[in-house]
Amino acid sequence: MAEEESKPVPAGEKSLVKAGKVSQWLAENEFAHESLELDHNGVEVIKVEPDFLLPLSTALYAYGFNYLQCQCGIDLGAGQQLVSMYHLIKVSDNADRPEEVRLKVFLPRENPRVPSVYWIWKTADWQERESFDMYGIVYEGHPNLKRLLMPEDWVGWPLRKDYISPDFYELQDAY
């Protein structure tokens, strides 16, 4: 039996990822998602389609994930997808090690759009604005989606891996 467990996965075959506690709960309640490998800290990672982000997020909030610690954008590389990532935590009294989960929404590079979770977790406000400003991810339903770090007339998305920095930017109305 021990020999079977130690056999390497043949090239080209995808190894199955064991569903974590949150993924199992989501599956029991019929929420569409996919379990990804645990991150380097052992936090469960769940892939969600953009259309299912709001219902799944609402369910996770009701399940106890009441704190959005981090929302950020990720660029997988020039010509590849963008990712909107959400790190959720169950904050409660007397919790030595609160439960954590990460949601990842993979988006097309051209016209990346995903619903805003601002109405579930207010901490998403400036975090979604930063992802919009740096990666060009549009958060539909966000109450004030505009540039946060760059000037309003800036062209492009500075943290995309295929971004080309302009040689010169003239400040308008600097005085």
Side-chain angles (χ1 to χ4, degrees):
M1 193 71 169
E3 288 179 22
E4 284 182 31
E5 291 175 15
S6 64
K7 286 184 183 178
V9 177
E13 281 188 30
K14 203 176 183 182
S15 63
L16 295 176
V17 176
K18 183 181 176 197
K21 178 181 173 186
V22 176
S23 181
Q24 289 174 2
W25 181 84
L26 290 169
E28 288 169 7
N29 290 282
E30 300 179 6
F31 286 99
H33 70 286
E34 180 183 332
S35 288
L36 301 177
E37 289 187 33
L38 300 178
D39 77 351
H40 65 284
N41 288 323
V43 175
E44 186 175 356
V45 181
I46 296 173
K47 178 181 176 182
V48 182
E49 292 299 320
D51 293 341
F52 300 119
L53 178 63
L54 286 182
L56 192 134
S57 295
T58 305
L60 288 176
Y61 183 83
Y63 184 63
F65 287 97
N66 53 1
Y67 179 51
L68 172 64
Q69 181 184 46
C70 175
Q71 184 286 319
C72 68
I74 303 168
D75 186 344
L76 298 178
Q80 296 184 44
Q81 293 179 310
L82 299 173
V83 179
S84 184
M85 191 277 299
Y86 308 82
H87 188 100
L88 307 174
I89 298 178
K90 277 187 178 181
V91 176
S92 60
D93 293 338
N94 303 321
D96 292 340
R97 178 120 169 93
E99 192 173 345
E100 303 173 75
V101 69
R102 286 205 181 121
L103 304 180
K104 288 188 175 182
V105 181
F106 293 81
L107 304 165
R109 195 168 201 79
E110 311 76 36
N111 196 21
R113 303 179 87 74
V114 65
S116 172
V117 295
Y118 170 82
W119 305 105
I120 302 169
W121 298 286
K122 299 294 188 221
T123 55
D125 186 6
W126 284 35
Q127 295 178 51
E128 287 181 346
R129 285 181 59 193
E130 182 180 6
S131 293
F132 166 71
D133 195 9
M134 297 288 110
Y135 293 95
I137 300 171
V138 175
Y139 292 90
E140 296 174 330
H142 190 283
N144 190 23
L145 193 63
K146 63 181 185 178
R147 292 242 188 217
L148 180 65
L149 302 170
M150 305 302 289
E152 282 293 325
D153 61 344
W154 193 264
V155 177
W157 318 107
L159 289 183
R160 284 195 183 188
K161 293 182 179 175
D162 56 0
Y163 178 73
I164 298 171
S165 250
D167 292 333
F168 179 77
Y169 180 77
E170 183 178 338
L171 289 174
Q172 303 291 324
D173 301 318
Y175 300 101

